[in-house]
Short mmCIF file of all heavy atoms in Angstrom, two decimals:
data_model
loop_
_atom_site.label_atom_id
_atom_site.label_comp_id
_atom_site.label_asym_id
_atom_site.label_seq_id
_atom_site.Cartn_x
_atom_site.Cartn_y
_atom_site.Cartn_z
N GLY A 62 -14.82 -15.09 -2.60
CA GLY A 62 -14.48 -14.83 -1.20
C GLY A 62 -15.57 -15.32 -0.26
O GLY A 62 -15.30 -15.96 0.77
N ILE A 63 -16.83 -15.04 -0.62
CA ILE A 63 -17.96 -15.50 0.20
C ILE A 63 -18.00 -17.03 0.19
O ILE A 63 -18.16 -17.69 1.22
CB ILE A 63 -19.29 -14.93 -0.34
CG1 ILE A 63 -19.30 -13.40 -0.22
CG2 ILE A 63 -20.48 -15.54 0.41
CD1 ILE A 63 -20.49 -12.73 -0.88
N LEU A 64 -17.82 -17.59 -0.99
CA LEU A 64 -17.88 -19.05 -1.14
C LEU A 64 -16.81 -19.74 -0.30
O LEU A 64 -17.07 -20.79 0.31
CB LEU A 64 -17.74 -19.43 -2.62
CG LEU A 64 -17.76 -20.93 -2.92
CD1 LEU A 64 -19.06 -21.58 -2.49
CD2 LEU A 64 -17.52 -21.18 -4.42
N LYS A 65 -15.61 -19.16 -0.25
CA LYS A 65 -14.54 -19.77 0.54
C LYS A 65 -14.96 -19.94 2.00
O LYS A 65 -14.69 -20.97 2.62
CB LYS A 65 -13.26 -18.92 0.46
CG LYS A 65 -12.49 -19.12 -0.83
CD LYS A 65 -11.21 -18.32 -0.81
CE LYS A 65 -10.48 -18.44 -2.13
NZ LYS A 65 -9.26 -17.58 -2.16
N HIS A 66 -15.65 -18.92 2.53
CA HIS A 66 -16.13 -19.04 3.92
C HIS A 66 -17.13 -20.18 4.06
O HIS A 66 -17.09 -20.93 5.04
CB HIS A 66 -16.78 -17.72 4.37
CG HIS A 66 -15.79 -16.64 4.64
ND1 HIS A 66 -14.96 -16.64 5.73
CD2 HIS A 66 -15.48 -15.52 3.93
CE1 HIS A 66 -14.18 -15.58 5.69
NE2 HIS A 66 -14.47 -14.88 4.61
N LYS A 67 -18.01 -20.32 3.08
CA LYS A 67 -19.01 -21.38 3.14
C LYS A 67 -18.35 -22.75 3.02
O LYS A 67 -18.80 -23.73 3.63
CB LYS A 67 -20.06 -21.21 2.03
CG LYS A 67 -20.80 -19.88 2.08
CD LYS A 67 -21.57 -19.70 3.37
CE LYS A 67 -22.22 -18.32 3.44
NZ LYS A 67 -22.75 -18.04 4.81
N ILE A 68 -17.31 -22.84 2.23
CA ILE A 68 -16.59 -24.11 2.08
C ILE A 68 -15.91 -24.48 3.40
O ILE A 68 -15.96 -25.63 3.83
CB ILE A 68 -15.57 -24.03 0.93
CG1 ILE A 68 -16.28 -23.90 -0.42
CG2 ILE A 68 -14.66 -25.25 0.92
CD1 ILE A 68 -15.36 -23.64 -1.61
N VAL A 69 -15.29 -23.49 4.03
CA VAL A 69 -14.63 -23.76 5.32
C VAL A 69 -15.68 -24.20 6.34
O VAL A 69 -15.44 -25.12 7.12
CB VAL A 69 -13.82 -22.54 5.80
CG1 VAL A 69 -13.34 -22.73 7.23
CG2 VAL A 69 -12.62 -22.30 4.89
N ASP A 70 -16.86 -23.56 6.32
CA ASP A 70 -17.95 -23.99 7.21
C ASP A 70 -18.30 -25.45 6.97
O ASP A 70 -18.49 -26.22 7.91
CB ASP A 70 -19.21 -23.14 6.98
CG ASP A 70 -19.07 -21.73 7.55
OD1 ASP A 70 -18.12 -21.50 8.32
OD2 ASP A 70 -19.91 -20.87 7.20
N ALA A 71 -18.39 -25.82 5.69
CA ALA A 71 -18.75 -27.20 5.34
C ALA A 71 -17.69 -28.17 5.84
O ALA A 71 -18.01 -29.24 6.37
CB ALA A 71 -18.92 -27.33 3.83
N ILE A 72 -16.44 -27.78 5.69
CA ILE A 72 -15.34 -28.64 6.16
C ILE A 72 -15.38 -28.78 7.68
O ILE A 72 -15.17 -29.86 8.22
CB ILE A 72 -13.99 -28.08 5.68
CG1 ILE A 72 -13.86 -28.30 4.17
CG2 ILE A 72 -12.83 -28.73 6.43
CD1 ILE A 72 -12.64 -27.67 3.56
N ARG A 73 -15.70 -27.67 8.33
CA ARG A 73 -15.80 -27.70 9.78
C ARG A 73 -16.88 -28.70 10.22
O ARG A 73 -16.69 -29.46 11.15
CB ARG A 73 -16.17 -26.29 10.27
CG ARG A 73 -15.33 -25.81 11.41
CD ARG A 73 -15.65 -24.38 11.71
NE ARG A 73 -14.64 -23.47 11.20
CZ ARG A 73 -14.85 -22.18 10.94
NH1 ARG A 73 -16.05 -21.65 11.09
NH2 ARG A 73 -13.87 -21.43 10.51
N ARG A 74 -18.00 -28.65 9.51
CA ARG A 74 -19.08 -29.59 9.85
C ARG A 74 -18.63 -31.02 9.60
O ARG A 74 -18.84 -31.89 10.44
CB ARG A 74 -20.33 -29.29 9.02
CG ARG A 74 -21.09 -28.06 9.48
CD ARG A 74 -22.49 -28.02 8.86
NE ARG A 74 -22.49 -27.91 7.42
CZ ARG A 74 -22.52 -26.76 6.74
NH1 ARG A 74 -22.54 -25.60 7.40
NH2 ARG A 74 -22.53 -26.73 5.44
N GLN A 75 -18.01 -31.24 8.45
CA GLN A 75 -17.54 -32.59 8.11
C GLN A 75 -16.49 -33.08 9.10
O GLN A 75 -16.44 -34.26 9.41
CB GLN A 75 -16.92 -32.61 6.72
CG GLN A 75 -17.94 -32.55 5.59
CD GLN A 75 -17.25 -32.50 4.23
OE1 GLN A 75 -16.03 -32.57 4.15
NE2 GLN A 75 -18.02 -32.38 3.18
N SER A 76 -15.65 -32.15 9.58
CA SER A 76 -14.54 -32.55 10.45
C SER A 76 -15.04 -33.10 11.77
O SER A 76 -14.32 -33.82 12.45
CB SER A 76 -13.61 -31.37 10.71
OG SER A 76 -13.09 -30.90 9.50
N ARG A 77 -16.28 -32.73 12.13
CA ARG A 77 -16.82 -33.25 13.38
C ARG A 77 -17.22 -34.70 13.22
O ARG A 77 -17.34 -35.44 14.18
CB ARG A 77 -18.03 -32.42 13.82
CG ARG A 77 -17.58 -31.08 14.33
CD ARG A 77 -18.67 -30.40 15.13
NE ARG A 77 -18.50 -28.97 14.99
CZ ARG A 77 -19.33 -28.19 14.33
NH1 ARG A 77 -20.41 -28.69 13.78
NH2 ARG A 77 -19.08 -26.91 14.22
N GLU A 78 -17.47 -35.09 11.98
CA GLU A 78 -17.78 -36.50 11.74
C GLU A 78 -16.45 -37.23 11.55
O GLU A 78 -15.46 -36.63 11.19
CB GLU A 78 -18.64 -36.64 10.47
CG GLU A 78 -19.97 -35.94 10.62
CD GLU A 78 -20.57 -35.56 9.26
OE1 GLU A 78 -20.22 -36.19 8.26
OE2 GLU A 78 -21.37 -34.62 9.24
N PRO A 79 -16.46 -38.53 11.82
CA PRO A 79 -15.18 -39.23 11.81
C PRO A 79 -14.71 -39.62 10.40
O PRO A 79 -14.07 -40.63 10.21
CB PRO A 79 -15.47 -40.49 12.64
CG PRO A 79 -16.93 -40.73 12.45
CD PRO A 79 -17.58 -39.39 12.22
N VAL A 80 -15.03 -38.75 9.40
CA VAL A 80 -14.64 -39.12 8.04
C VAL A 80 -13.15 -38.88 7.80
O VAL A 80 -12.58 -39.48 6.90
CB VAL A 80 -15.41 -38.33 6.96
CG1 VAL A 80 -16.82 -38.88 6.82
CG2 VAL A 80 -15.43 -36.86 7.27
N LEU A 81 -12.57 -37.98 8.59
CA LEU A 81 -11.20 -37.63 8.25
C LEU A 81 -10.19 -38.22 9.23
O LEU A 81 -9.40 -37.53 9.83
CB LEU A 81 -11.04 -36.12 8.16
CG LEU A 81 -11.48 -35.60 6.79
CD1 LEU A 81 -11.23 -34.12 6.67
CD2 LEU A 81 -10.73 -36.32 5.68
N ALA A 82 -10.26 -39.52 9.34
CA ALA A 82 -9.22 -40.20 10.08
C ALA A 82 -7.91 -40.00 9.33
O ALA A 82 -7.93 -39.76 8.12
CB ALA A 82 -9.55 -41.68 10.16
N PRO A 83 -6.79 -40.03 10.03
CA PRO A 83 -5.52 -39.87 9.33
C PRO A 83 -5.40 -40.89 8.19
O PRO A 83 -5.88 -42.01 8.31
CB PRO A 83 -4.48 -40.16 10.41
CG PRO A 83 -5.18 -39.83 11.69
CD PRO A 83 -6.63 -40.18 11.48
#
Side-chain angles (χ1 to χ4, degrees):
Chain A
I63 296 173
L64 179 61
K65 281 183 184 176
H66 287 288
K67 301 299 176 191
I68 293 173
V69 170
D70 287 347
I72 288 174
R73 227 173 257 158
R74 285 195 297 269
Q75 285 177 3
S76 300
R77 287 196 209 111
E78 297 156 24
V80 284
L81 277 184

